[in-house]
Amino acid sequence: MSKNSRTVLIDMHPGRNTQTYGIARELGTDLDLIHEPSVGVIGNKGDSQCYLGVQSKVEAIQECLRSKLGREPGQMPMRLVQPEYTIATSDGIRNGTREMRYSLIGREVTHDSVCEHLSASGLEGTIAVVACDKPPVGTLAAILEHNRPAIIMSDGPIRPGVDSETNEVIDLVTAYQVAGHPDEAHRARIACEACPGYGSCGGMFTYNTMQTFIAVVGMQPLHMVAPPSDDPRRLNDFPAELVGYLKGMIDAGTTPRDIVGRDSIRNAVIVAMAIGGSTNVVLHAPEIARAAGFGNFWADIMTPEEFNHLSQHMVPVLTDARPYGRYSMVDIDEIGGVQVIAKELLDAGLLNGDVPTCTGETLGEQINRLNTAPADGRVVYSVEKPYKPTGGLRVLGGNLSPEFSAILKLAGVEAGLEDNVFRGKARVFAGEQGLLNALEDNPEGFKNHDMIVVRYEGPSGAPGMPEMLDSTSRITTLCRERDITVGLMTDGRFSGGSVGLVIGHVGPEAALGGPTAFIEDGDEIIADLNKNELNCTALDDPATLAARKAAWEKVVADNGGIHPSCGDADTRLLNRMRLSAVPATQGSGMHPDRKLWVSEPRDARKSGFVPRNKWREGSDKAF
């Protein structure tokens, strides 16, 4: 091969060569390939069952990749690097604890570590095995920033458990929902039986919401999402397919930003609505869009008005899936996989089938090649006869959410809406721990149509924006047992396993002087899904708002510039989150310099961008 001056310099430098030769010898690859472009495998690791299956898949892919490298016809003349792993926190183990503040930070740490590996190693080809819910997003964001050929595979969901006494299917959410059960033996049995085996959460929680998103956005083959983590295909069949797809991307010069464009992100958001997906998708989609080169998700990809129009009038929920329904991702796999859902939406004209994917095909071509089955009408429903008539997500404005940051998982609302309106009285808690204490010590104190307000749990305030599966699960059980409705709103966030009238990401957050900081016990809170607004009637009065704001500012000033209800930022990571977190509307990530919010901004015209004033609200197609 012809060598440029840099290659010659490297060839002549024994200090830089010696370890490269050593690695090649240990990995069993050709020493003559050490100065060729490099390829490698990365995986997500952590301290939960979600990650237990990752290493075996990484090793299987690594061996398959190694066997395909060389100078023979059909091989890739590339250098192999050893696998690398990221680290993150178990959401399931730490919900309801202060350690949960590190959960979303795990996305950022994964992003940083993958970025360091890809950039410092100069990888020209990457296969990533991802698990749990935050690391996959951090992995994809880093891959998009690096923008060299790459492909992702889900490690796979866990199989559900079975209650040995009732034979009911159970899972992690079941275990959280019995946390307040008076029978210790019952609690212990569910805890032991809810999560057998290994793999990431099996319901349509955040993990499977984002795996479906990553596949529909084009960076993961559709058929690799739904099979469980212990499915033999993940070790025996998928590695060779992934290597083949990666080779195709390298040969064609296809990069992640060639795949992840405006229309593919829109596709993925629409599918998230149709699966009743996690509210976390509106945190992760802006971060993915940013990494793909778009400056503002809510302007460049989809406006709040369009998001709500799609969810209210065009995109129904198609899946009877946990946590709001009966089935898990394993059941979706048995009836044909997530491609069944994508096909239903594509055939209905709700998706753009012409967008590229990592397989070298368009989305529509990939669906056709997979001989995708029609909806079965039991686990996955058709667009014509959906499981629920409207989409699963709604963003809210109003005086408590002037930037349309608040998000409601409408698919999970079980009661409390009269003519699409909830009216309740505020019950305010300065942090989740106070709420958990009240639910444990005095659950009878919660009344029908209370609206719990949990504040100072936002990206900067907590810091870290913890999710609240423990709180929401206890509230869900309380409401079912007493046949009442208790809502919850917070500047924090929720697990994809949360159900009920729960509204997250309400902002600007209280720690930064957002409107939730000025709510008082007994205030009337109105969630109006006809207007898509979240309002506190007391704050409509300018005099009341001014007085409460002045009182709050005095407390902050007297405490050195931060409200005393904010959590301690007593580690470097927590302090970094406090000082650099962007708002929920921008993904709640750690981006200290807003001028560097997007590198190499994309030309909206080249991505098919339609200006907001050109979008037709009455259109019968999403595209």
Side-chain angles (χ1 to χ4, degrees), residues 418-433:
E418 298 180 9
D419 298 324
N420 285 323
V421 177
F422 172 86
R423 295 176 183 271
K425 290 187 176 181
R427 184 163 178 189
V428 181
F429 294 88
E432 186 189 20
Q433 190 57 54

Side-chain angles (χ1 to χ4, degrees), residues 484-537:
I484 63 174
T485 297
V486 175
L488 189 158
M489 54 174 283
T490 179
D491 51 10
R493 61 188 183 87
F494 299 121
S495 163
S498 294
V499 293
L501 187 64
V502 293
I503 303 170
H505 314 178
V506 183
E509 61 176 295
L512 302 181
T516 54
F518 313 132
I519 300 174
E520 294 185 357
D521 283 328
D523 283 351
E524 182 184 49
I525 307 294
I526 302 174
D528 188 332
L529 301 187
N530 299 308
K531 298 179 179 179
N532 293 319
E533 290 185 354
L534 180 65
N535 290 298
C536 173
T537 55

Side-chain angles (χ1 to χ4, degrees), residues 124-348:
E124 284 294 307
T126 305
I127 299 173
V129 181
V130 296
C132 204
D133 54 353
K134 312 310 179 302
V137 180
T139 300
L140 176 55
I143 282 171
L144 283 163
E145 288 181 346
H146 186 60
N147 202 33
R148 303 307 302 151
I151 190 168
I152 288 173
M153 182 185 77
S154 159
D155 173 69
I158 192 171
R159 296 181 186 274
V162 177
D163 186 328
S164 58
E165 289 196 3
T166 67
N167 289 322
E168 292 179 354
V169 173
I170 57 177
D171 58 17
L172 177 71
V173 171
T174 310
Y176 269 94
Q177 288 177 348
V178 302
H181 196 284
D183 184 348
E184 182 177 350
H186 178 81
R187 297 197 305 270
R189 185 179 79 252
I190 298 300
C192 288
E193 298 175 350
C195 292
Y198 57 89
S200 298
C201 285
M204 199 55 76
F205 312 156
T206 305
Y207 171 72
N208 283 312
T209 298
M210 294 314 302
Q211 291 312 306
T212 304
F213 187 105
I214 291 169
V216 173
V217 89
M219 288 300 294
Q220 174 172 202
L222 290 166
H223 66 290
M224 296 187 185
V225 174
S229 182
D230 62 4
D231 191 299
R233 288 173 289 177
R234 294 197 176 278
L235 292 175
N236 301 330
D237 301 333
F238 293 170
E241 293 179 39
L242 290 165
V243 172
Y245 292 140
L246 180 66
K247 183 179 185 299
M249 292 182 70
I250 292 170
D251 290 345
T254 302
T255 67
R257 284 193 179 192
D258 294 329
I259 294 171
V260 182
R262 173 186 179 267
D263 287 353
S264 63
I265 298 172
R266 286 168 58 88
N267 277 349
V269 171
I270 288 167
V271 173
M273 294 177 183
I275 60 178
S278 167
T279 53
N280 284 302
V281 73
V282 298
L283 285 181
H284 298 325
E287 175 63 10
I288 290 169
R290 180 210 60 78
F294 295 97
N296 185 339
F297 174 89
W298 294 107
D300 296 341
I301 307 297
M302 183 179 291
T303 67
E305 294 88 350
E306 185 178 9
F307 184 98
N308 284 335
H309 178 79
L310 286 165
S311 190
Q312 284 179 267
H313 304 296
M314 298 175 67
V315 182
V317 173
L318 303 183
T319 54
D320 180 4
R322 296 278 292 165
Y324 55 84
R326 294 176 292 176
Y327 297 106
S328 71
M329 188 58 86
V330 173
D331 299 303
I332 291 175
D333 180 55
E334 290 177 353
I335 61 93
V338 298
Q339 56 266 38
V340 174
I341 302 164
K343 184 179 190 305
E344 277 296 319
L345 295 167
L346 181 64
D347 290 348

Side-chain angles (χ1 to χ4, degrees), residues 535-553:
N535 290 298
C536 173
T537 55
L539 301 185
D540 284 332
D541 176 34
T544 299
L545 176 59
R548 293 183 182 183
K549 185 175 182 180
W552 181 88
E553 289 174 342

Side-chain angles (χ1 to χ4, degrees), residues 21-50:
Y21 280 122
I23 291 169
R25 283 193 299 268
E26 292 301 316
L27 295 180
T29 55
D30 191 339
L31 299 185
D32 290 339
L33 297 174
I34 69 164
H35 297 305
E36 299 295 343
S38 56
V39 293
V41 187
I42 59 176
N44 298 152
K45 295 296 289 291
D47 60 347
S48 73
Q49 286 167 290
C50 305

